[in-house]
């Protein structure tokens, strides 16, 4: 039994009383036939009737809908209800024209050339299709036979398939070309020159007329008229480009001239080095031959003098200038032969003033001096030239002037042997021996050069390109700042070797020479000798670490230029953990001179091309060393440097003072004894120099008048 609460009965009763008002048409239709409950149920169920599936509802035509609407309007006239809207049939709505649809424009008149050419190409494509189908059938047949036959006949079948494929491939390529051309023609696009040529080649000369007619007629869009109802394409108007206004060039000449004229400043010699190098490049350059003969420590062998002078004379007669080493003892004799057609390149102004060359210049930077010699057309060296030895090690030497024909290129053997260690030293020396007769024949005869004007520093600076002046100042500033930082820190202990030591080596892992490199730096530091390296990883880091652990000064001279990148991989990153001071440089042109600045000891650990460049500049610096005692040079690692060391020791033409300074280190215990012997020799040399140096009388020393005391 269902129990209904009284409050729900009151709601039902109220709704039954209001039903004629809420739905009069239902109350009129039901009237007395339905009870109150039925009327209430119909009232609540009516909103859900229209949500049934439309497929379940019976279809009603427009006539029935109109009739039912008329009946409802009669019933609702008393209540003044508006008539229901008539919805059109779905099919009838689809047939109505849309407002957005616009009448299509009249199609353009087709180009007759397009139709004739496309028909000819399509005809050729259809004719080729039969040949392609026959080839496909033959290939399939041969493949089936080879699959069902024995293995002995498979090579023959493969060969047959390959032959058929070779004949089949050109047809496919030809058909592809024709299809692409046909697609272009149907799309009303112009054919390229090579496409027209291929069509004529494939279809014959008869097609040439149709192709020319098609291209001369142009595209169909150009042939449309204004009556076709379409608008012709208008050419795109380009905006007029603004006139190019070059940026004003800032002249650096006043700054350069002011730096050069300030002779009391420290910048002057470093700026002048760059200006002289630029002057040699612009005035001599490829019109000169560098002739490096002799050294400053000994005279040239008498039996070689005539050949060397004849070589200098042949160079001038061939129409070249001669650039020679002014520090050599043979330089004055070369000057007598070449005269105003030669330039003596010196390392010190005192040498230039003492010898009074016809034409002479000074470059104190050993790296720039080596680069200045390399600017010539050819570099010819002799066996007794230390500067020439540096050019050979760097790879700048072209010929070795050896009249005896007994010279052996030991450096080439060293490079081929050291390349097995994988430290970046590869290739061989390209220098070849030559005599005076072959030298005269190899030089091309040109017009006799004009005499060289005497060098004037200020006039040469005025002709320097403005673009080169900033790099000159960068080099000069790096040298001045580096020298200041190096000289502020003295020896680690009193009485040690002034100037300290420099260590070269690979920026990578030295492998079996790691312990020897560290111990060498540690012993030098324990002896109170400051050490300078390139400041990066590998051997350089080991050297700084050894000196730092021994309590000595440790300098790292890094670089941020020079055309190479030392920030590659983790081992190249600069670390100042073991540096007393870290110095920056502008490249090799300032880095190597700072490494060699007043150094009395040079230690070369195993390395690659960069290490050999540092060794080469060291030899050039030792050739022009302003002392009677050559710096100590130690090769670290017997297995690596033994061939180079023996070759330099056995080369009889090199000066004995240079060969005595060379040492090969294989054990750390050798380092201390070698340095002590060198220090003893250095002290004796200094005492001898002090005794031989003339002393000025004391009465020649004058004092200025003091404004306070008035004494003279």
């Amino acid at each position: 039994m269902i129990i209904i609460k009284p409050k729900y009965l009151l709601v039902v009763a109220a709704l039954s009383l209001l039903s004629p008002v809420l739905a009069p048409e239902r109350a009129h239709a039901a009237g007395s036939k339905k009870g109150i409950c039925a009327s209430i149920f119909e009232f609540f169920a009516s909103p859900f009737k229209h949500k049934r599936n439309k497929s379940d509802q019976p279809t009603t035509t427009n006539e029935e809908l109109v009739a039912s609407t008329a009946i409802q309007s009669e019933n609702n006239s008393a209540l003044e209800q508006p008539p229901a809207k008539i919805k059109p049939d779905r099919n009838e709505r689809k047939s109505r024209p849309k407002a957005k649809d616009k009448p299509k424009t009249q199609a353009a008149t087709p180009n007759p050339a397009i139709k004739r050419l496309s028909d000819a190409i399509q005809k050729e494509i259809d004719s080729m299709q039969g040949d392609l189908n026959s080839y496909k059938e033959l290939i399939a047949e041969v493949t089936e036979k080879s699959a069902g036959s024995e293995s002995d006949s498979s090579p023959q079948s493969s060969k047959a398939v390959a032959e058929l494929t070779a004949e089949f491939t050109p047809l496919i390529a030809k058909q592809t070309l024709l299809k692409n051309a046909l697609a272009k023609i149907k799309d009303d696009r112009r054919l390229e020159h090579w496409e027209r040529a291929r069509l004529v080649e494939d279809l014959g000369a008869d097609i040439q007329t149709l192709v020319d007619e098609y291209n001369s007629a142009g595209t169909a869009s150009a042939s449309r008229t204004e009556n076709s109802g379409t608008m012709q394409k208008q050419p795109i108007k380009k905006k007029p480009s603004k006139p190019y206004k070059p940026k004003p060039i800032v002249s650096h000449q006043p700054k350069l001239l002011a730096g050069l004229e300030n002779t009391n400043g420290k910048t002057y010699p470093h700026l002048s080095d760059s200006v002289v190098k630029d002057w040699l490049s612009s005035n001599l350059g490829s019109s000169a031959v560098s002739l490096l003969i002799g050294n400053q420590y000994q005279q040239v062998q008498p039996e070689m003098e005539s050949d060397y002078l004849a070589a200098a004379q042949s160079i001038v007669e061939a129409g070249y200038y001669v650039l020679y080493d002014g520090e050599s003892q043979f330089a004055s004799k070369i000057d007598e032969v070449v005269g105003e057609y030669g330039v003596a390149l010196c390392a010190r102004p005192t040498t230039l003033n003492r010898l009074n060359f016809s034409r002479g210049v000074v470059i104190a930077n050993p790296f720039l001096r080596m680069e200045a010699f390399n600017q010539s057309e050819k570099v010819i060296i002799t066996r007794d030239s230390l500067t020439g030895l540096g050019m050979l090690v760097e790879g700048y030497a072209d010929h070795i002037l050896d009249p005896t024909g007994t010279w052996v290129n030991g450096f080439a053997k060293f490079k081929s042997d050291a390349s097995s260690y994988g430290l970046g030293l590869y290739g061989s020396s390209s220098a070849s021996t030559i005599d005076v007769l072959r030298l005269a024949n190899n030089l091309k005869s040109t017009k006799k050069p004009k005499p060289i004007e005497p060098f004037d520093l200020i006039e040469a600076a005025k002709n320097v390109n403005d673009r080169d002046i900033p790099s000159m100042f960068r080099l000069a500033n790096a040298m001045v700042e580096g020298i200041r930082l190096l000289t502020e820190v003295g020896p680690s202990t009193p009485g040690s070797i002034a100037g300290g030591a420099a260590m070269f080596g690979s920026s990578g892992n030295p492998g079996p020479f790691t312990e020897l490199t560290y111990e060498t730096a540690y012993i030098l530091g324990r002896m109170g000798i400051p050490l300078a390296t390139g400041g990066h990883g590998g051997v350089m880091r080991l050297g700084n670490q050894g000196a730092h652990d021994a309590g000595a000064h440790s300098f790292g001279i890094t670089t941020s230029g020079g055309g190479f990148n030392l920030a590659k991989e983790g081992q190249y990153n600069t670390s100042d953990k073991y540096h007393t001071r870290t110095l920056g440089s502008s490249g090799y042109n300032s880095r190597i001179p700072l490494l060699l600045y007043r150094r009395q000891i040079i230690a070369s650990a195993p390395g690659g091309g960069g290490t050999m460049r540092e060794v080469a500049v060291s030899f050039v610096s030792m050739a022009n060393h302003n002392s009677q005692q050559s710096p100590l040079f130690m090769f670290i690692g017997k297995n690596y440097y033994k061939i180079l060391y023996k070759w330099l020791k056995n080369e009889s033409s090199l000066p004995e003072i240079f060969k005595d300074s060379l040492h090969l280190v294989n054990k750390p215990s050798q380092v201390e004894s070698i340095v002590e012997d060198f220090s003893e020799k250095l002290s004796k040399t200094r005492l001898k120099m002090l005794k031989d140096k003339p002393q000025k009388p004391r009465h020649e020393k004058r004092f200025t008048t003091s404004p306070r005391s008035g004494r003279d």
Side-chain angles (χ1 to χ4, degrees):
M1 182 177 178
I2 300 173
I3 300 173
I4 301 175
K5 293 182 179 182
K7 60 181 180 179
Y8 294 122
L9 293 175
L10 293 174
V11 172
V12 172
L15 291 174
S16 62
L17 294 174
L18 294 174
S19 59
V21 179
L22 296 175
E25 66 279 3
R26 292 190 179 92
H28 179 77
S32 59
K33 296 181 181 180
K34 296 181 180 179
I36 296 175
C37 293
S39 301
I40 294 173
F41 176 78
E42 184 180 356
F43 171 77
F44 281 105
S46 60
F48 301 97
K49 288 183 180 180
H50 71 281
K51 292 186 179 181
R52 289 181 299 173
N53 191 359
K54 294 182 180 181
S55 59
D56 298 337
Q57 297 178 3
T59 57
T60 305
T61 60
N62 290 334
E63 290 78 4
E64 295 176 352
L65 184 60
V66 171
S68 62
T69 304
I71 296 172
Q72 289 183 3
S73 60
E74 292 177 359
N75 297 332
N76 296 335
S77 58
L79 298 174
E80 297 181 356
Q81 295 290 340
K85 294 182 179 180
I86 302 173
K87 296 183 179 180
D89 187 32
R90 184 181 302 173
N91 298 330
E92 190 176 331
R93 279 183 288 175
K94 287 184 178 181
S95 61
R96 289 183 180 180
K98 295 181 180 180
K100 295 182 180 180
D101 293 341
K102 296 180 180 180
K104 295 183 179 180
T105 57
Q106 186 178 356
T109 306
N111 191 343
I114 296 177
K115 189 174 186 312
R116 287 194 293 269
L117 184 58
S118 59
D119 291 344
I121 295 175
Q122 186 63 47
K123 183 178 179 181
E124 182 67 20
I125 293 174
D126 295 341
S127 63
M128 290 175 61
Q129 191 61 40
D131 298 336
L132 293 175
N133 294 335
S134 61
Y135 272 113
K136 290 180 182 179
E137 293 175 359
L138 287 174
I139 292 174
E141 184 179 354
V142 172
T143 305
E144 290 177 0
K145 288 182 180 180
S146 62
S149 61
E150 297 179 357
S151 60
D152 297 338
S153 61
S154 59
Q156 298 179 358
S157 60
S158 300
K159 184 178 180 181
V161 171
E163 292 177 354
L164 289 173
T165 306
E167 297 177 1
F168 177 68
T169 304
L171 291 177
I172 295 179
K174 181 179 177 181
Q175 189 186 47
T176 304
L177 174 68
L178 294 176
K179 288 182 178 180
N180 293 338
L182 182 61
K184 266 193 171 185
I185 293 170
K186 288 184 177 180
D187 292 344
D188 205 5
R189 290 181 289 170
R190 188 177 296 275
L191 296 175
E192 300 292 339
H193 175 72
W194 65 272
E195 291 176 323
R196 299 196 299 268
R198 287 293 302 272
L199 284 176
V200 175
E201 181 182 351
D202 294 339
L203 302 181
D206 298 338
I207 204 69
Q208 180 70 51
T209 307
L210 297 177
V211 173
D212 294 341
E213 183 182 355
Y214 169 74
N215 282 277
S216 61
T219 57
S221 60
S223 62
R224 293 173 184 171
T225 59
E226 297 180 357
N227 297 330
S228 60
T230 60
M231 185 180 294
Q232 295 183 357
K233 295 182 179 180
Q234 299 294 333
I236 300 174
K237 295 182 180 179
K238 296 183 179 180
K239 296 182 179 179
S241 58
K242 297 182 180 179
Y244 173 72
K245 294 182 179 180
K247 295 182 180 179
I249 300 175
V250 180
S251 178
H252 302 282
Q253 292 292 340
K255 183 180 178 182
L256 178 62
L257 295 174
L260 291 174
E261 291 174 352
N262 183 17
T263 56
N264 295 325
K266 295 182 179 180
T267 308
Y268 169 76
H270 307 298
L271 278 179
S272 64
D273 287 347
S274 301
V275 173
V276 171
K277 180 176 176 292
D278 183 82
W279 180 83
L280 290 173
S281 176
S282 57
N283 288 271
L284 276 69
S286 60
S287 301
V289 173
S290 294
L291 186 61
L292 305 177
I293 301 175
N295 54 77
Q296 71 165 352
Y297 299 107
Q298 66 185 21
Q299 293 286 345
V300 174
Q301 298 177 5
E303 61 271 15
M304 297 293 183
E305 287 188 9
S306 59
D307 292 324
Y308 291 165
L309 295 176
Q313 184 65 34
S314 63
I315 293 173
V316 175
E317 291 177 353
Y320 289 92
Y321 297 109
V322 179
L323 183 63
Y324 55 97
D325 186 7
E327 298 292 337
S328 171
Q329 295 188 15
F330 198 67
S332 58
K333 295 185 178 181
I334 298 178
D335 182 65
E336 294 176 0
V337 174
V338 299
E340 55 191 4
Y341 299 102
V343 176
L345 182 54
C346 305
R348 296 179 294 272
T350 54
T351 305
L352 187 63
N353 299 331
R354 176 171 50 88
L355 297 178
N356 193 19
F357 293 112
S358 300
R359 302 288 186 270
V361 292
V362 177
I363 295 181
N365 189 319
F367 183 86
L368 293 184
R369 191 159 62 249
M370 188 174 67
E371 292 291 323
F373 282 122
N374 187 47
Q375 291 177 154
S376 303
E377 176 70 17
K378 289 184 179 296
V379 178
I380 301 171
I381 68 174
T382 58
R383 298 169 58 178
D384 55 355
S385 173
L386 288 180
T387 303
L389 177 63
M391 301 292 286
L392 177 67
V393 172
E394 178 59 19
Y396 289 162
D398 296 309
H399 300 294
I400 313 294
L401 187 60
D402 182 30
T404 62
T406 59
W407 184 80
V408 178
N409 192 352
F411 182 70
K413 294 182 179 180
F414 157 69
K415 289 185 71 175
S416 71
D417 180 74
S419 61
S420 60
Y421 287 91
L423 295 178
L425 188 62
Y426 304 105
S428 60
S429 177
S430 59
S432 60
T433 57
I434 194 172
D435 54 16
V436 179
L437 182 61
R438 289 171 54 197
L439 175 62
N441 294 332
N442 286 346
L443 294 175
K444 296 180 181 179
S445 179
T446 58
K447 295 181 181 179
K448 189 174 182 179
K450 297 180 180 180
I452 302 174
E453 295 293 331
F455 175 74
D456 184 82
L457 183 61
I458 302 301
E459 291 297 325
K462 292 179 181 178
N463 297 324
V464 174
N465 196 324
D466 278 312
R467 294 176 298 180
D468 300 332
I469 295 177
S471 62
M472 294 181 180
F473 274 99
R474 282 195 297 269
L475 170 60
N477 293 333
M479 291 295 298
V480 171
E481 184 67 15
I483 291 173
R484 183 185 66 82
L485 294 175
L486 289 173
T487 53
E488 282 182 356
V489 181
S492 301
T493 57
S496 63
I497 296 177
M503 178 173 281
F504 307 143
S506 172
S507 57
N509 186 4
F513 309 102
T514 301
E515 184 178 356
L516 180 60
T517 302
Y518 173 81
E519 291 295 334
T520 300
Y522 182 82
I523 292 172
L524 291 174
R526 193 177 60 187
M527 297 177 71
I529 301 173
L531 183 69
T533 71
H536 294 282
V539 168
M540 296 173 276
R541 184 180 179 84
L542 289 172
N544 289 125
Q545 183 179 359
H548 179 270
D549 293 346
H553 292 303
S554 174
F555 302 103
I557 304 176
T558 62
T559 182
S560 59
F564 54 92
N565 180 19
L566 288 179
K568 181 182 178 183
E569 301 179 1
Q571 61 185 4
Y572 293 91
N573 293 336
T574 303
S575 174
D576 58 357
K577 180 180 179 180
Y578 303 110
H579 295 176
T580 304
R581 283 192 176 179
T582 304
L583 288 72
S585 64
S586 60
Y588 275 135
N589 54 7
S590 61
R591 185 191 192 194
I592 301 179
L594 287 175
L595 282 171
L596 299 174
Y597 181 72
R598 294 184 180 179
R599 297 287 178 261
Q600 297 292 339
I601 300 175
I602 300 172
S604 178
T611 303
M612 289 301 104
R613 172 170 289 186
E614 292 165 337
V615 171
V617 179
S618 301
F619 289 162
V620 174
S621 179
M622 293 169 71
N624 305 310
H625 200 265
N626 189 15
S627 174
Q628 295 181 5
Q629 176 63 44
S630 177
L632 174 65
F633 199 103
M634 294 188 298
F635 291 107
I636 309 299
K638 180 179 179 180
N639 294 334
Y640 193 83
Y641 282 114
K642 59 183 178 181
I643 295 178
L644 178 61
Y645 174 75
K646 290 181 180 179
W647 174 63
L648 294 175
K649 279 285 191 179
N650 297 330
E651 183 57 60
S652 59
S653 300
L654 294 174
E656 291 297 328
I657 190 174
F658 170 74
K659 291 192 288 186
D660 292 342
S661 66
L662 301 177
H663 294 273
L664 185 62
V665 177
N666 193 35
K667 296 179 181 179
S669 58
Q670 297 175 313
V671 176
E672 189 169 357
S673 60
I674 291 173
V675 174
E676 287 178 351
D677 293 342
F678 172 73
S679 179
E680 185 178 352
K681 290 181 181 179
L682 189 62
S683 300
K684 292 180 180 180
T685 304
R686 287 176 178 174
L687 289 174
K688 184 180 178 181
M689 291 176 64
L690 289 175
K691 290 179 181 179
D692 296 341
K693 186 177 181 180
Q695 299 291 332
K696 293 183 179 180
R698 290 188 177 182
H699 63 82
E700 291 185 3
K701 188 174 182 180
R702 306 291 297 176
F703 295 93
T704 58
T705 303
S706 175
R708 294 184 179 179
S709 62
R711 294 179 300 174
D712 291 339

